[in-house]
């Protein structure tokens, strides 16, 4: 069997979820969209279900996978519905939905429902992706209330730059939100992971942690609360071949690495077809038998190469951690010009093994 695999530590996931709740003092929807950022949405949701206040996914397809697996907790559709007829399924499966556009308000008004819905009314406070314009927000709220189709409205917005601690844009977005919701007495949800960890002054009855659940920091710099996160995924494999190269010999496609000295090269069963970033350059950190070394040469589809020159005890069969508790996914991502969100979501082909219940 090919030794490439990802270990998913469910105790670490629960630890990170509890941290989100403790730091924010709010109820938390665990964001498990995109297959829980590559960690397996069903298993992650099941591991959290006893304690999570609910879950958030991008769309109804993702929600139905959780319902079919027996997840009964509230599930919020972060992008709401794409067609009005999805409201029937939303009703049938007891889903909560975001409304971010006028046409969705109208569709809710006209829907035939068996019971009133929980709607999270999204304001565009400055990210300019989705959400109602501030000038339309109160009218939309009143229309929903008057429709008789809604039992609860949560007021929400999303930050564009909460991962930049010094940036004023988050305070500006907050001010837009506070003004738009003036006089409305409804619960509020504003904070994603960076806002949970770094913006305690932002009010929230509900928070929406995603990346922090998986133990990766959304910040580029060290941050007090992010330091308490525990990485959930360990991507690992083994050395499957060793080469001794004299100085001057190249390694791999494009000869992107040429040995400057006699070099022991370990070939690892892991490549970009598994989701390891192809753009990770020579020097990207990697652990072999618990010792730090570096990636060398180009990452290929099924294999990559590491420097074993200073690790004489390591060789065929040595365990390799590509990212996990020792090599942080955020460091690998940064080296490859990416972010941990993307490298987790890109994971494929490798089997997931779950640790803890
Ligand atoms: C509306 C909304 N809330 C929360 C999240 C979770 O964000 P993060 O992973 O940064 O915590 C996302 C993710 O993109 C989102 O779109």
């Amino acid at each position: 069997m090919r030794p490439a695999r990802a270990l998913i530590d469910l105790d670490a996931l629960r630890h990170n979820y509890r941290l989100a709740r403790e730091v924010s003092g709010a109820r938390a929807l665990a964001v498990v969209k995109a297959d829980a950022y590559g960690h397996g949405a069903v298993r992650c949701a099941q591991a959290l279900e006893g304690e999570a206040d609910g879950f958030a996914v991008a769309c109804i397809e993702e929600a139905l996978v959780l319902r079919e697996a027996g997840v009964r907790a509230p599930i919020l559709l972060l992008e709401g519905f794409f067609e009005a007829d999805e409201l029937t399924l939303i009703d049938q499966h007891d889903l909560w939905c975001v409304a971010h556009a006028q046409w969705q308000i109208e569709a809710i008004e006209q829907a035939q429902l068996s019971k009133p819905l929980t709607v999270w009314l999204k304001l565009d406070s400055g990210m300019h992706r989705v959400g109602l314009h501030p000038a339309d927000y109160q009218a939309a709220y009143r229309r929903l209330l008057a429709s008789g189709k809604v039992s609860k409205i949560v007021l929400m917005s999303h930050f564009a730059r909460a991962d930049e601690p010094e940036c004023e844009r988050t305070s500006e977005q907050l001010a837009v939100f506070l003004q738009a919701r003036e006089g409305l007495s409804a619960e509020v949800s504003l904070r994603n992971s960076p806002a949970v960890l770094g913006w305690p002054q932002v009010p929230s009855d509900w928070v929406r942690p995603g990346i922090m659940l998986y133990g990766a920091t959304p910040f580029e710099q060290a941050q007090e609360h992010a330091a308490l996160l525990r990485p959930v995924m360990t991507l690992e494999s083994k050395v499957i071949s060793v080469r001794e190269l004299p100085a001057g010999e190249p390694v791999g496609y494009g000869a992107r690495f040429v040995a400057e000295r006699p070099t022991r090269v370990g070939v690892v069963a892991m490549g970009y077809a598994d989701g390891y970033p192809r753009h990770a350059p020579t020097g990207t950190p990697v652990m072999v038998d618990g010792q730090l070394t570096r990636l060398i040469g180009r990452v290929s589809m099924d294999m990559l190469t590491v420097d074993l020159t200073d690790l004489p005890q390591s060789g065929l069969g040595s365990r390799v951690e590509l990212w996990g508790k020792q090599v942080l996914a955020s460091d690998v991502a940064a080296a490859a010009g990416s972010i941990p969100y993307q490298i987790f979501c890109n994971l494929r082909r490798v089997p997931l093994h779950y640790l803890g219940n």
Side-chain angles (χ1 to χ4, degrees):
M1 292 273 277
R2 190 163 178 265
R5 61 184 190 160
L7 307 177
I8 308 294
D9 179 348
L10 297 173
D11 291 327
L13 177 75
R14 282 186 284 264
H15 164 86
N16 297 333
Y17 177 80
R18 287 174 198 146
L19 185 71
R21 271 221 298 231
E22 270 169 43
V23 169
S24 65
R27 280 167 284 167
L29 291 188
V31 180
V32 294
K33 63 187 176 136
D35 205 22
Y37 295 37
H39 292 65
V42 167
R43 290 298 297 270
C44 289
Q46 286 170 339
L48 289 173
E49 206 184 1
E51 54 189 299
D53 300 305
F55 298 98
V57 295
C59 56
I60 198 159
E61 290 87 341
E62 293 182 339
L64 294 185
V65 170
L66 296 182
R67 283 284 184 257
E68 275 156 27
V71 174
R72 301 265 55 94
I75 302 176
L76 175 67
L77 308 180
L78 287 170
E79 290 180 17
F81 46 92
F82 300 83
E83 313 271 347
D85 60 10
E86 285 170 43
L87 281 164
T88 310
L89 283 173
I90 289 173
D91 179 30
Q92 205 179 322
H93 293 277
D94 275 330
L95 304 174
W96 296 357
C97 80
V98 166
H100 60 76
Q102 272 317 330
W103 72 266
Q104 291 175 326
I105 310 288
E106 285 152 27
I108 292 170
E109 284 175 326
Q110 285 156 26
Q112 303 292 320
L113 303 170
S114 69
K115 56 197 170 307
L117 288 175
T118 294
V119 173
W120 288 44
L121 188 60
K122 188 164 185 176
L123 174 76
D124 178 3
S125 56
M127 184 159 178
H128 303 322
R129 206 173 49 170
V130 292
L132 290 146
H133 191 278
D136 301 328
Y137 198 57
Q138 296 235 348
Y141 177 87
R142 279 193 290 274
R143 279 179 69 170
L144 283 179
L145 266 193
S147 71
K149 303 288 169 67
V150 171
S151 57
K152 178 170 179 170
I153 303 175
V154 177
L155 309 177
M156 76 175 288
S157 194
H158 194 50
F159 293 128
R161 301 183 67 178
D163 57 332
E164 299 171 63
E166 307 301 326
C167 178
E168 284 176 11
R169 188 64 178 161
T170 300
S171 305
E172 289 164 10
Q173 282 196 253
L174 175 60
V176 171
F177 176 80
L178 292 176
Q179 193 177 15
R181 75 100 197 230
E182 212 168 272
L184 306 183
S185 58
E187 291 174 354
V188 164
S189 177
L190 296 171
R191 291 158 77 183
N192 55 356
S193 298
V196 167
L197 294 164
W199 294 86
Q201 65 276 41
V202 173
S204 250
D205 299 295
W206 293 88
V207 293
R208 309 185 305 268
I211 195 70
M212 69 173 287
L213 294 181
Y214 310 105
T217 177
F219 301 105
E220 277 180 17
Q221 311 296 335
Q223 202 267 349
E224 180 196 352
H225 293 124
L228 303 174
L229 294 171
R230 282 169 47 187
V232 173
M233 182 190 293
T234 299
L235 182 64
E236 65 169 34
S237 189
K238 286 190 173 161
V239 173
I240 57 164
S241 176
V242 177
R243 288 279 176 281
E244 307 272 356
L245 296 184
E249 279 300 307
V251 176
Y253 285 119
R256 286 304 166 96
F257 175 84
V258 177
E260 301 121 14
R261 56 175 181 160
T263 298
R264 263 180 96 228
V265 179
V267 180
V268 180
M270 178 67 64
Y272 62 77
D274 303 298
Y276 191 89
R278 179 175 178 275
H279 290 106
T282 289
T284 301
V286 57
M287 281 284 175
V288 178
D289 293 331
Q291 306 225 61
L292 187 62
T293 182
R294 59 177 184 153
L295 181 83
I296 53 177
R298 256 193 193 154
V299 174
S300 48
M301 188 181 287
D302 313 308
M303 287 178 264
L304 53 78
T305 37
V306 297
D307 191 349
L308 298 181
T309 315
D310 296 328
L311 306 181
Q313 314 298 334
S314 297
L316 208 59
S318 283
R319 180 182 173 273
V320 179
E321 178 183 305
L322 287 312
W323 60 70
K325 298 191 194 304
Q326 295 172 299
V327 173
L328 297 182
S330 42
D331 291 341
V332 175
S338 184
I339 51 174
Y341 297 75
Q342 191 189 25
I343 65 169
F344 288 150
C345 290
N346 278 352
L347 200 74
R348 66 186 82 87
R349 188 167 72 179
V350 293
L352 305 182
H353 290 262
Y354 291 89
L355 310 174
N357 295 317

